[in-house]
């Protein structure tokens, strides 16, 4: 029995249907036979059934019983990794003897099988005379194989192999382990719970202490339904609920756990909008006062550990206090009163004669002028008294001290009394000022009393032994009173000069203002200062407050000068008592006591706070600046940063035009006028230069500018008369796409020590300016002095050629002591120093901000000068008093000579003045 029927008609119909079926299978199922499925095995079974394949005639074991179609099916099944066992055969058609795999391979080789992925069967392959189906390689169509591109991993294999061809990236242990976000949150949550429990004395119960009456039942869905898409409105509501604050969550839980409290809260007690809008009053019964000891049970959100599934917290605290996460407790009812903050003693001082308007300033000027004139006359009279007493040191008159003791004593006593009369304020100031604010007048008053007593005793006894010593002591006391009168003249002169700087109501004043706001100072300094920044800046104002308070607030030795005078008085009394026992003489007792008082009235004492302030006013008043006393100087000296503008260290005349080249056919006069307006808007150092050039034109009228912007180290850009203008260097022009001459032009200009400045419109370059910067020696000196003090200079800049390196090179300062302020810092500075009508300030000026450098240098010199005089006074009093006591009791013959004491005090005074001349303001 053959494979097919011999009826030709039926055979043609069969093969036509078979070809259609194979063509359809080729397009749909047999594109990739390597991915065979169960459906493919069923199709093979279908083909076998369609061909009615049967193996009824058994052949020998060594003979191949497979038909050509069976061979193709086996080949396809083998290459597609579909085992023969997966193909379901009919029990009757299953062959008894399965050919060997090697036999199948040889047969496939002999028959030159086509491509494994595609095959085609045609009617020409079947012979009419035979019952077997024959195939020929020529009749099989071989489709083209699709070209597969290599993957990224395959392309990277060449870079992951070593010299031996081994893959170094395979089977490598990862360098780190990525921790999931949930684990991180879980651990931080547990740490936070533990920390808060310790901070607030809260007990958290573990799983073993879990309350038995609390059960958590998680409902299970019997019939799960597919999740519906979440609407946007629902997501918004859920996000709002998730963003509730801790106070709202606690309040909701508190209301749920206390049913009795929730019943008391009614809609009537809840305001409509706010407590102010609610017209109904809340009764005291509706006010709920929670207990101080509450037990709260909660389940931490996201806690997966069983240890924190249920927690019971017991804590005792006041619910009326606000708790923050840091653990600090704040009373809700506590109100912060700014008056409770600590204030310095200086701020608490209230002066009765303080100036309040310009009329009171004019009245004070007249008063100070009168005092200045009186102090000058007192100084002259005091000097005459000193010369009168000192005339007896001349050899013709020196013999009168021994021959006519009474006459010389009367003359010296009269001169001393006259000197005390012209300095009568020394006694008034003792009783009018508080003890902390007593000046050196106390020392002058005490020494005057002792000198008059000693002179009266000498006049009474006319002791020849103490004639020269008494004369020397009176001469020393006259010198002390003279320096006291001179110090008052210095004081009133400086105060009057400073007051005149702020007396005009027609000129805007610039007050020295201190900025210690961290945000402003950080934006300006940008970590250029290691410590906290106290910035000195200027602020425009009309009136300066607290002038008299700053002027009169002259404290010696931190307000402890009265202790020094008390020690001096006790020591003088003690020395007098000892000398009365030792020498047994009344004059010697008062002589030793007066000598000790005069030692503690060393003339250096009267230079403190007066001489340095006098020289500072003489230096600052001609430039329209002033420092209001020694207290103001100490306050200013604490600053470690100062802000000025580059237009002030390069004023008009310091930027010189060397050359001007026209680069296009633009109207150069109009370009210069617009450049003048642009530089004036930002206070650029180039503005005086452009203004000087613009004045040479016939139509000198500067237009208005708008939207001016300075780009750091590039230049200016802005709109002038609705046209865009650029002023800057090559980098600015190139960034805006403007064509410029060759780079060699800039190099030649820079090699000559000059700077190129380009002027350009939106589409072309108009002109090239060659400028030179010439620093002024006086400004260089002030910058060097201020930077040597450790003060950082913060420059507000609008010139692309000026930077830290240039300032360091031109002015000879350290590069890290100068800092260019950023645009953000400049904006914050403008907001911090907005003009004001009145301000309390220790210093002020009327001209440019460069006066700030003079003020800071003068304040530092004032403090150093006062320190010099203070050191000389302390050291001098200690050395002289020790030497006098030692010499007085070393020999029993006589008291120490007053001549040595007089010379010592004059030498110490002269040395202090000589050293002061090198440090004076």
């Amino acid at each position: 029995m053959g494979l097919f029927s011999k009826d030709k008609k039926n055979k043609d119909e069969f093969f036509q249907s078979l070809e259609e079926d194979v063509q359809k299978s080729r397009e749909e199922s047999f594109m990739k036979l390597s991915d065979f499925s169960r459906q493919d095995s069923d199709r093979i079974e279908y083909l076998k059934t369609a061909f009615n394949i049967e193996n009824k005639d058994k052949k020998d074991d060594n003979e191949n019983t497979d038909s050509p179609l069976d061979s193709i099916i086996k080949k396809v099944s083998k290459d597609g990794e579909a085992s023969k066992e997966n193909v379901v055969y009919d029990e009757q058609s299953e062959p008894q003897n399965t050919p060997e795999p090697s036999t199948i391979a040889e047969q496939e080789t002999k028959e030159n099988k086509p491509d494994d992925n595609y095959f085609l069967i045609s009617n020409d392959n079947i012979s009419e005379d035979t019952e077997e189906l024959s195939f020929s390689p020529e009749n099989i169509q071989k489709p083209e194989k699709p070209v597969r591109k290599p993957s990224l991993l395959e392309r990277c294999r060449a870079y992951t192999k070593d010299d031996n061809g081994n893959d170094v990236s395979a089977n490598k242990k990862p360098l780190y382990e990525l921790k999931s976000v949930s684990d991180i949150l879980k651990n931080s949550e547990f740490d936070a719970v533990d920390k808060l429990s310790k901070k607030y004395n809260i007990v958290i119960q573990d799983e073993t202490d879990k309350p038995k009456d609390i059960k958590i039942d998680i409902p299970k869905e019997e019939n799960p339904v597919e999740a519906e898409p979440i609407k946007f409105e629902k997501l918004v509501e859920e996000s709002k609920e998730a963003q509730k604050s801790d106070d709202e969550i606690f309040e909701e839980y508190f209301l749920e756990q206390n049913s009795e409290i929730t019943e008391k809260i009614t809609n009537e007690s809840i305001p409509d909008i706010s407590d102010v809008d609610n017209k109904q009053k809340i009764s005291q019964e509706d006010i709920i006062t929670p207990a101080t000891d509450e037990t709260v049970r909660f389940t931490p959100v996201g806690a997966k550990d069983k240890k924190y599934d249920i927690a019971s917290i017991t804590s005792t605290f006041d619910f009326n206090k606000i708790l923050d996460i840091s653990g600090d407790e704040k009373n809700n009812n506590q109100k912060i009163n700014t008056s409770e903050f600590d204030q310095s003693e200086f701020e608490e001082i209230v002066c009765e004669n303080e100036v309040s308007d310009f009329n009171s300033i004019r009245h004070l000027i007249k008063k100070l002028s009168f005092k200045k004139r009186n102090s000058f006359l007192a100084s002259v009279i005091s000097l005459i008294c000193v010369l009168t007493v000192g005339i007896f040191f001349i050899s013709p008159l020196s013999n009168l001290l021994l021959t006519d003791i009474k006459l010389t004593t009367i003359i010296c006593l009269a001169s001393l009394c006259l000197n005390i009369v012209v300095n009568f304020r020394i006694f008034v100031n003792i009783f009018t000022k508080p003890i902390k604010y007593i000046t050196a007048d106390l020392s002058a008053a005490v020494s005057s009393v002792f000198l008059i007593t000693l002179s009266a005793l000498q006049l009474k006894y006319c002791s020849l032994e103490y004639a020269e010593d008494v004369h020397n002591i009176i001469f020393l006391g006259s010198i002390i009173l003279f320096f006291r009168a001179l110090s008052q003249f210095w004081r009133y002169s400086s105060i009057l000069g400073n007051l005149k700087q702020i007396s005009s109501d027609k000129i805007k004043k610039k007050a020295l203002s201190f900025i210690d706001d961290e945000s402003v100072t950080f934006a300006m300094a940008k970590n250029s200062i290691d410590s906290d920044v106290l910035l000195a800046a200027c602020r425009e104002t009309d009136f300066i407050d607290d002038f008299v308070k700053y002027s009169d607030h002259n404290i010696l030795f931190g307000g402890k000068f009265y202790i020094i005078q008390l020690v001096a008085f006790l020591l003088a009394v003690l020395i007098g008592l000892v000398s009365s026992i030792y020498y047994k003489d009344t004059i010697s007792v008062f002589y030793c006591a007066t000598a000790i008082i005069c030692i503690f009235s060393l003339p250096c004492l009267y230079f403190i706070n007066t001489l340095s302030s006098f020289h500072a006013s003489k230096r600052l008043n001609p430039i329209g600046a002033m420092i209001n006393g020694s207290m103001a100087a100490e306050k200013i000296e604490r600053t470690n940063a100062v802000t000025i503008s580059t237009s002030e260290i390069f004023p008009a005349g310091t930027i010189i035009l060397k050359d001007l080249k026209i680069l296009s056919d633009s109207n150069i006069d109009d370009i210069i006028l617009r450049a003048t307006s642009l530089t004036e808007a930002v206070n650029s150092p180039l503005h005086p230069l452009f203004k000087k050039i613009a004045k040479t034109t016939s139509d000198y009228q500067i237009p208005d500018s708008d939207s001016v912007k300075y780009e750091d180290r590039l230049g200016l850009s802005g709109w002038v008369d609705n046209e865009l203008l650029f002023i800057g260097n090559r980098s600015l022009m190139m960034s805006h796409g403007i064509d410029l001459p060759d780079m060699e032009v800039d190099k030649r200009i820079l090699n000559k020590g000059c700077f190129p400045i380009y002027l350009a419109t939106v589409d072309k370059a108009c002109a090239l300016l060659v400028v030179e910067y010439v620093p002024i020696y006086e400004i260089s000196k002030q910058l060097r002095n201020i930077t040597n003090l450790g003060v950082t200079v913060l420059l507000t800049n609008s010139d692309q050629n000026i930077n830290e390196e240039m300032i360091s090179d031109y002015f000879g300062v350290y590069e890290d002591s100068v800092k260019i302020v950023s645009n953000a810092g400049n904006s914050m500075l403008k907001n911090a120093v907005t003009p004001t009508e009145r301000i309390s300030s220790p210093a002020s000026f009327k001209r440019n901000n460069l006066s700030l450098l003079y003020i800071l240098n003068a304040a530092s010199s004032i403090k150093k000068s006062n320190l010099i005089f203070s050191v000389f006074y302390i050291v001098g009093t200690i050395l002289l008093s020790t030497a006098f006591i030692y010499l007085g009791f070393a020999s029993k013959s006589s008291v120490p000579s007053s001549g040595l004491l007089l010379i010592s005090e004059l030498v110490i005074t002269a040395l202090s003045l000589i050293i002061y001349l090198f440090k004076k303001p």
Side-chain angles (χ1 to χ4, degrees), residues 368-595:
L368 289 175
S369 300
F370 178 75
K371 289 184 177 181
K372 178 183 177 182
R373 183 172 61 251
N374 290 341
S375 61
F376 175 76
L377 293 176
S379 301
V380 173
I381 295 174
S382 181
L383 178 61
I384 294 174
C385 293
V386 172
L387 295 178
T388 302
V389 177
I391 198 173
F392 292 101
F393 286 103
I394 301 175
S395 59
L397 299 176
S398 60
N399 297 327
L400 292 175
L401 295 174
L402 301 175
T403 58
D404 197 348
I405 301 174
K406 192 172 184 179
L407 177 63
T408 56
T409 304
I410 292 174
I411 295 175
C412 292
L413 181 59
S415 300
L416 179 62
C417 292
L418 180 61
N419 204 346
I420 294 174
V421 169
V422 298
N423 292 279
F424 72 97
R425 297 293 303 180
I426 58 178
F427 299 101
V428 176
N429 293 333
I430 295 175
F431 302 101
T432 57
K433 288 188 176 181
I435 190 170
K436 287 186 177 180
Y437 308 121
I438 289 178
T439 59
D441 291 344
L442 176 61
S443 179
V446 174
S447 61
S448 299
V449 172
F450 276 81
L451 285 171
I452 292 177
T453 305
L454 179 62
S455 301
L457 291 175
Q458 177 64 12
L459 183 62
K460 179 181 179 181
Y461 293 104
C462 294
S463 175
L464 181 62
E465 183 181 359
Y466 293 101
E468 293 183 357
D469 293 333
V470 171
H471 175 264
N472 293 336
I473 290 295
I474 294 175
F475 182 73
L476 180 59
S478 300
I479 293 176
I480 292 173
L481 292 174
F482 166 71
F483 280 118
R484 187 267 166 192
L486 190 60
S487 67
Q488 291 301 308
F489 172 74
W490 292 335
R491 177 173 175 267
Y492 290 128
S493 297
S494 60
I495 294 176
L496 183 61
N498 295 335
L499 185 61
K500 288 181 179 180
Q501 306 305 316
I502 62 172
S503 61
S504 176
D505 56 348
K506 299 179 181 179
I507 301 176
K508 285 282 186 180
K509 274 77 67 177
K510 296 181 180 180
L512 177 63
S513 179
F514 299 101
I515 301 175
D516 55 358
D517 185 77
E518 293 184 359
S519 58
V520 179
T521 55
F522 177 79
M524 296 186 64
K526 283 189 176 179
N527 297 326
S528 60
I529 302 175
D530 296 334
S531 59
D532 296 336
V533 180
L534 181 60
L535 178 64
C538 68
R539 191 172 184 179
E540 288 190 0
T541 185
D542 296 328
F543 193 84
I544 305 295
D545 289 327
D546 297 336
F547 178 84
V548 176
K549 183 168 69 171
Y550 274 108
S551 301
D552 290 343
H553 197 72
N554 295 322
I555 297 180
L556 289 175
F557 303 104
K560 305 298 182 181
F561 180 69
Y562 68 94
I563 298 178
I564 297 177
Q565 289 302 309
L566 181 60
V567 171
F569 180 77
L570 295 177
L571 184 61
V573 173
L574 180 62
I575 294 299
L577 294 176
V578 173
S579 61
S580 63
I581 301 173
Y582 201 72
Y583 297 106
K584 298 179 181 181
D585 189 359
T586 305
I587 297 179
S588 63
V589 172
F590 279 92
Y591 168 76
C592 294
T594 305

Side-chain angles (χ1 to χ4, degrees), residues 107 161 178 188 294 301 321 504 532 538 553 571 630 682 719 729 752 820 827 844 895 917:
Q107 184 177 356
K161 292 182 178 181
L178 183 61
S188 61
E294 293 291 341
V301 179
K321 292 183 178 180
S504 176
D532 296 336
C538 68
H553 197 72
L571 184 61
S630 58
V682 293
W719 293 86
N729 52 24
K752 294 180 180 180
I820 300 295
S827 300
S844 65
V895 296
L917 293 176

Side-chain angles (χ1 to χ4, degrees), residues 439-441 483-484 487-488 490-491 553-558 561 564 600 602-614 629-631 634 862-874 877 912-913 916:
T439 59
D441 291 344
F483 280 118
R484 187 267 166 192
S487 67
Q488 291 301 308
W490 292 335
R491 177 173 175 267
H553 197 72
N554 295 322
I555 297 180
L556 289 175
F557 303 104
F561 180 69
I564 297 177
F600 278 87
L602 195 64
C604 299
L605 178 64
Y606 303 95
F607 299 155
I608 303 174
N609 297 336
T610 56
L611 185 57
S612 56
S613 298
F614 172 74
S630 58
M631 181 65 188
E634 292 182 3
I862 290 174
K863 186 175 181 180
K864 290 180 179 178
S865 301
N866 294 335
L867 181 62
I868 289 173
F869 291 133
S870 299
V871 169
F872 270 93
Y873 171 74
I874 296 296
T877 53
S912 63
L913 288 174
Y916 162 78

Side-chain angles (χ1 to χ4, degrees), residues 753-772:
C754 301
F755 293 89
I757 299 176
Y758 290 95
L759 302 181
T761 58
V762 69
D763 54 351
K764 59 183 176 180
C766 300
L768 170 61
L769 281 73
V770 181
V771 299
E772 181 183 4

Side-chain angles (χ1 to χ4, degrees), residues 161-283:
K161 292 182 178 181
D162 55 8
D163 298 337
N164 299 328
N166 300 323
D167 191 357
V168 297
S169 64
N171 300 325
K172 292 293 184 181
K173 187 178 180 181
L175 298 178
Y176 64 92
E177 181 180 356
L178 183 61
K179 202 171 184 179
S180 64
V181 178
S182 61
D183 295 339
I184 296 173
L185 294 177
K186 182 177 66 175
N187 294 335
S188 61
E189 180 183 346
F190 293 158
D191 295 340
V193 172
D194 293 337
K195 187 182 294 183
L196 290 176
S197 64
K198 295 178 181 179
K199 195 171 286 186
Y200 294 118
N201 194 17
I202 296 174
V203 179
I204 300 180
Q205 298 179 355
D206 296 339
E207 185 182 8
T208 56
D209 300 332
K210 188 186 299 183
K212 297 181 180 180
D213 56 342
I214 297 178
K215 294 182 180 180
I216 300 177
D217 297 330
I218 301 176
K220 297 182 179 180
E221 297 181 1
E222 297 179 356
N223 298 323
V225 184
E226 295 183 358
E228 297 180 358
I230 302 176
K231 295 182 179 181
F232 179 75
E233 293 81 1
K234 188 176 181 181
L235 289 175
V236 174
E237 293 177 358
E238 292 178 355
S239 63
K240 289 181 178 179
E241 293 178 358
Q243 293 177 357
K244 287 183 179 180
S245 62
D246 297 338
D247 296 337
E248 294 176 352
I249 296 173
F250 177 77
E251 183 179 358
E252 292 178 1
Y253 179 80
F254 187 79
L255 295 177
E256 291 176 1
Q257 296 294 327
N258 298 273
S259 59
E260 297 179 358
I261 296 176
T262 54
E263 292 176 0
K264 293 182 180 181
I265 299 178
T266 60
N267 294 330
E268 297 178 355
S269 64
I270 299 177
D272 297 334
I273 298 176
S274 65
D275 293 336
V276 178
D277 297 331
N278 187 24
K279 298 180 181 179
Q280 298 179 359
K281 296 182 179 180
I282 302 175
S283 62

